[in-house]
């Protein structure tokens, strides 16, 4: 899919996500809007995955370590064909398999159950190591939040990935500068992230995480330096695409009222 | 029957673990070992020498270690994740919960030097909470083999079982209890001694002490049944209820706190289905004082004589 179509698709995914949050009365809309372009590019441009064979041993793997933005992943998976699109309407409903955090046992296309932060990257290191042991060429992608990088387990994994030379592993940090309660810089400021990853022996790229040309270029295997894992620091906006949510800490998991919902939907429709 | 293990050779079950693992790994290229710098204490030097690329040492980083195990399993590997049990289960408990149990991954968690095997090193290095912590999680069988033979059988079972499990091994020497060629069955206890007056249920390093206690009781004319209950979850309800019906009193012994371990698991079955008097021996909810592993078991009332005395006292409570 070319970047023009990716932009249109990401816009549709944002609208479906917004509608589902509004109807469910819950969700993590801020982080979902910041990660949507990254997920869209991964599933519709970069990754080799097949909804007809979700457990194909040679599939590429994606771990959404910031599991609280599961809804964005569900919508992407439904667009890709892993789930019926109409099932998104069951988000958070009684007995729905689409709860607030992704479950690999219930939802095809999910690779590992996330929710507690700092779990995805260690699992991704294990996946990438498995591929290396087999001499296989599938890739592993992990998306973390920037606040999530405060979890020490990530840095254990960052050390190991570099030591093991896992050039088949790509970490994408959704750097939206906001965490649940406050701005990253006012909480425990890890920025700037690139020199820290570089110091641990990773190849680091910095991109605009809402620019499809930059995202797809960064995800290309052409950027891989042999023997080094890759980190893409994606500069994003929490609530991206919706003016009153964008870069506003209040919208971590706030739910829009009817007027806000209509305005947000109108803004996204106008942006097509 | 007196002093059944007086001249018995004692075995470090870690040797049986690694011997079995190396044999299995030679036959199945997907078997890998993951450890936290614990190559020596997990007895993985032989594995490393034979299969260097399949020994994945993440360094001193237990959270990453368990996550890496889950990722390896996702990639089709059969990881045996090995570390001292207090750090494997304590430091990485949330990884065990989310990445192994909830994600239902094929990760074999091997807790080495469990219980109070580290003796004088103190409570930071004791793992007397691990039954309780891991037993609370779905999808992760909890197993503590009693000797080298059962350890070998459990490792072979684990390699073919599709799913995660927690194998709790010790480093303290134990005599042989089970017959050569024993095949492990998940959730199935073994009768080590038949008896009709009282039942002693134990596992791990306590099982042979329970057998010796039964010999002491026999000398007093008391017929004690001894069950080796390696599987703490899923618990062998049938064996427990048979013991309750046949002997009317159950004594449990474990190298674990009495809060939430084997005794608690047995008590849950008894309370729900067939109440009989019980006594639960173990570490009574304290951090242990300074002593060797064997001395600590004695100090907490689990010498064979003390176990026998507890059994006699328990029988006094039978209706």
């Amino acid at each position: 899919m070319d970047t023009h179509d990716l932009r249109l698709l990401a816009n549709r995914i944002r609208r479906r996500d917004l509608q589902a949050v509004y109807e469910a009365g819950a969700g993590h809309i801020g982080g979902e809007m910041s990660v949507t372009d990254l997920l869209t590019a991964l599933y519709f441009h970069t990754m080799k995955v097949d909804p007809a064979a979700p457990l194909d041993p040679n599939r590429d793997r994606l771990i959404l370590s910031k599991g609280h933005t599961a809804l964005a992943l569900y919508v992407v998976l439904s667009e890709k064909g892993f789930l019926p699109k109409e099932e998104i309407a069951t988000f958070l409903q009684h007995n729905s398999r689409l709860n607030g955090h992704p479950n690999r046992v219930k939802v095809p296309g999910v690779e590992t159950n996330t929710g507690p932060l700092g779990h995805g990257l260690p699992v991704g290191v294990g996946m990438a190591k498995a591929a290396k042991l087999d001499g296989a060429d599938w890739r592993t992608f992990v998306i973390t939040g920037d606040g999530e990088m405060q979890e020490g387990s990530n840095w254990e994994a960052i050390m190991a990935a570099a030591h093991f030379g896992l050039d088949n592993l790509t970490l994408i940090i959704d750097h939206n500068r906001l965490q649940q309660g406050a701005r990253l810089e006012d909480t425990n400021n890890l920025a700037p992230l690139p020199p820290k990853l570089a110091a641990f022996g990773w190849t680091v790229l910095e991109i605009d995480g809402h620019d499809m040309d930059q995202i797809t270029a960064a995800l290309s295997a052409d950027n891989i330096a042999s023997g080094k894992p890759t980190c893409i620091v994606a500069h994003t906006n929490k609530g991206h695409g919706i003016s009153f949510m964008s870069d506003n800490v209040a919208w971590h998991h706030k739910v829009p009222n009817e007027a806000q919902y209509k305005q947000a939907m109108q803004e996204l429709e106008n942006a097509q | 029957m007196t002093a059944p293990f007086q001249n018995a050779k004692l075995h470090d079950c870690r040797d049986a673990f690694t011997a079995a693992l190396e044999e299995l790994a030679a036959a199945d290229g997907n078997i890998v070992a993951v450890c936290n710098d614990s190559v020596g204490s997990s007895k993985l030097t032989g594995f490393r020498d034979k299969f260097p690329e399949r020994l994945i040492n993440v360094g001193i980083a237990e959270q990453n270690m368990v996550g890496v195990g889950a990722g390896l399993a996702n990639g089709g590997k059969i990881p045996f994740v090995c570390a001292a049990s207090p750090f494997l289960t304590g430091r990485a408990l949330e990884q065990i919960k989310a990445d192994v149990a909830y994600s239902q991954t094929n990760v074999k968690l091997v807790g080495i030097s469990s219980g109070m095997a580290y003796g004088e090193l103190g409570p930071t290095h004791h793992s007397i909470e691990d039954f309780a912590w891991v037993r609370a999680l779905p999808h992760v069988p909890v197993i503590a083999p009693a000797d080298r033979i059962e350890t070998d059988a459990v490792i072979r079972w684990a390699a073919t079982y599709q799913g995660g499990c927690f194998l709790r091994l010790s480093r303290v020497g134990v005599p042989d209890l089970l017959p050569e060629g024993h095949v492990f069955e998940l959730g199935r206890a073994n009768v080590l001694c038949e008896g009709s007056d009282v039942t002693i249920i134990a596992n791990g390093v306590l099982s042979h002490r329970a057998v010796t206690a039964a010999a002491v009781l026999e000398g007093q004319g008391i017929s004690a049944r001894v069950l080796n209950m390696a599987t703490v979850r899923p618990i062998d309800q049938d064996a427990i209820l048979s013991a309750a019906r046949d002997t009317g009193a159950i004594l449990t012994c474990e190298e674990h706190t009495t809060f939430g371990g084997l005794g608690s698991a047995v008590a849950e079955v008894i309370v729900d289905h067939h109440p009989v008097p019980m006594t639960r021996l173990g570490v009574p909810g304290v951090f242990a004082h300074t002593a060797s592993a064997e001395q600590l078991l004695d100090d907490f009332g689990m010498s064979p004589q003390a176990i026998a005395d507890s059994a006699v006292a328990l029988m006094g409570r039978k209706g």
Side-chain angles (χ1 to χ4, degrees), chain A residues 188-251:
Chain A
N188 185 340
N189 193 9
L190 274 164
L193 287 157
K196 296 179 175 66
L197 272 295
F200 278 85
W202 287 53
T203 298
V204 184
L205 306 170
E206 269 189 284
I207 61 167
D208 176 342
H210 299 304
D211 181 318
M212 280 297 179
D213 293 310
Q214 290 190 37
I215 297 170
T216 54
L219 290 171
S220 166
D222 296 343
N223 294 310
I224 293 173
S226 181
K228 295 176 79 171
T230 302
C231 175
I232 300 171
V233 177
H235 294 276
T236 57
N237 298 307
K238 215 160 177 173
H240 186 77
I242 301 168
S243 60
F244 58 91
M245 292 185 192
S246 187
D247 199 37
N248 183 345
V249 74
W251 285 93

Side-chain angles (χ1 to χ4, degrees), chain B residues 84-100:
Chain B
S85 200
F87 314 130
L88 170 66
T89 60
R91 182 69 71 97
L93 187 58
E94 192 184 67
Q95 279 72 21
I96 294 174
K97 174 186 171 185
D99 308 349
V100 180

Side-chain angles (χ1 to χ4, degrees), chain B residues 214-284:
Chain B
V216 172
L217 290 165
E218 186 181 30
Q220 300 174 31
I222 294 168
S223 167
R225 180 180 301 183
V226 177
L227 294 179
N228 174 53
M229 195 160 282
T231 311
V232 178
R233 177 174 177 160
I235 199 80
D236 188 344
Q237 182 166 312
D238 292 343
I240 293 167
L241 293 179
S242 293
R245 283 190 289 266
D246 297 348
T247 71
I250 293 178
L251 175 69
T252 60
C253 313
E254 59 191 310
E255 192 187 22
H256 190 274
T257 171
T258 51
F259 290 72
L262 173 66
S264 300
V266 171
E268 288 159 15
V269 175
I270 290 298
V271 166
D272 285 353
H273 299 283
H274 192 95
V276 295
M278 272 192 73
T279 298
R280 297 176 297 116
L281 299 181
V283 181

Side-chain angles (χ1 to χ4, degrees), chain B residues 126-143:
Chain B
H126 295 168
S127 194
I128 58 169
E129 307 86 6
D130 49 10
F131 283 158
W133 289 341
V134 184
R135 188 172 77 87
L137 301 173
H139 306 302
V140 184
V142 175
I143 303 159

Side-chain angles (χ1 to χ4, degrees), chain A residues 2 4 8 18 69 104-105 114 147 152 156 180 183 195 204 213 220 229 248-250 252 262 269:
Chain A
D2 67 24
H4 172 74
L8 290 177
L18 170 67
T69 58
R104 68 171 285 275
V105 180
T114 52
E156 293 184 2
Q180 178 174 357
R183 303 191 75 82
V204 184
D213 293 310
S220 166
N248 183 345
V249 74
H252 177 76
K262 285 180 175 168
E269 285 171 359

Side-chain angles (χ1 to χ4, degrees), chain B residues 27-41:
Chain B
D28 185 346
N30 280 324
I31 290 179
V32 298
V34 187
C35 70
N36 63 336
D37 191 36
S38 58
V39 177
S41 58

Side-chain angles (χ1 to χ4, degrees), chain B residues 264-309:
Chain B
S264 300
V266 171
E268 288 159 15
V269 175
I270 290 298
V271 166
D272 285 353
H273 299 283
H274 192 95
V276 295
M278 272 192 73
T279 298
R280 297 176 297 116
L281 299 181
V283 181
V286 298
F287 290 119
H289 53 279
T290 305
S292 69
E294 301 275 14
Q295 183 67 51
L296 284 167
L297 294 178
D298 290 349
D299 290 352
F300 287 121
M302 292 183 282
S303 67
Q305 183 63 54
I307 293 170
D309 292 346

